[in-house]
Amino acid sequence: MIKAVEELLAAGESDLGLLFVVGEERNSAGAYYASQHPRGSRYIINGEPTENKLALGSKGALRFEIIASGKMAHSAYPELGESAIEKLLDALVRIRKIELPVDTILARAR
C-alpha cells in the first residue's frame, strides 16, 4: 500500500489516502469509523489480499442481534413455561427465507 502511494505521489496524484482498518475479521470497527468520518479523498487503497487480483467491490456484512425472552418452567410442567429457544429458532427460519440481493459483479449475497 505504501509503495502504491509512493508511485501515485511520484505521478503527481495527491488526492488519496491510506486506511489501515481495525477489526476487519470481527466487526470492521475501523472501516465503520472511517466511513463516518470521511476525509474527502476520491480513491482508497485497500490492502486486503485477494489472490493478488484487483477487487472491484466487496459484499460487506450485515450483523444484528436477536433477543428473545421466555418463562422458565419445571420439566414436569413444560406447558407452564414459554421457550425463548423456540422463538429464536422460529426467527432463524424466517431470516433464512429472506431474499437477498443479487449483484451483476458480486453475485448473490449470502
Side-chain angles (χ1 to χ4, degrees), residues 85-104:
I85 293 173
E86 288 180 6
K87 291 178 185 179
L88 290 172
L89 291 171
D90 292 343
L92 289 173
V93 168
R94 290 192 304 272
I95 289 169
R96 292 191 69 185
K97 290 181 181 178
I98 294 173
E99 188 161 332
L100 298 173
V102 177
D103 183 86
T104 55

Side-chain angles (χ1 to χ4, degrees), residues 27-49:
N27 60 6
S28 298
Y32 178 77
Y33 181 88
S35 73
Q36 300 302 307
H37 302 85
R39 302 293 294 218
S41 296
R42 183 171 178 191
Y43 300 102
I44 185 169
I45 298 169
N46 181 351
E48 173 68 20

Side-chain angles (χ1 to χ4, degrees), residues 10-67:
E13 296 290 337
S14 61
D15 187 20
L16 53 95
L18 288 170
L19 174 63
F20 298 97
V21 297
V22 175
E24 180 235 342
E25 295 296 331
R26 183 166 182 250
N27 60 6
S28 298
Y32 178 77
Y33 181 88
S35 73
Q36 300 302 307
H37 302 85
R39 302 293 294 218
S41 296
R42 183 171 178 191
Y43 300 102
I44 185 169
I45 298 169
N46 181 351
E48 173 68 20
T50 54
E51 299 173 357
N52 205 24
K53 297 177 184 175
L54 178 63
L56 300 177
S58 174
K59 291 183 182 181
L62 174 63
R63 293 181 174 94
F64 52 92
E65 181 177 339
I66 301 173
I67 299 172

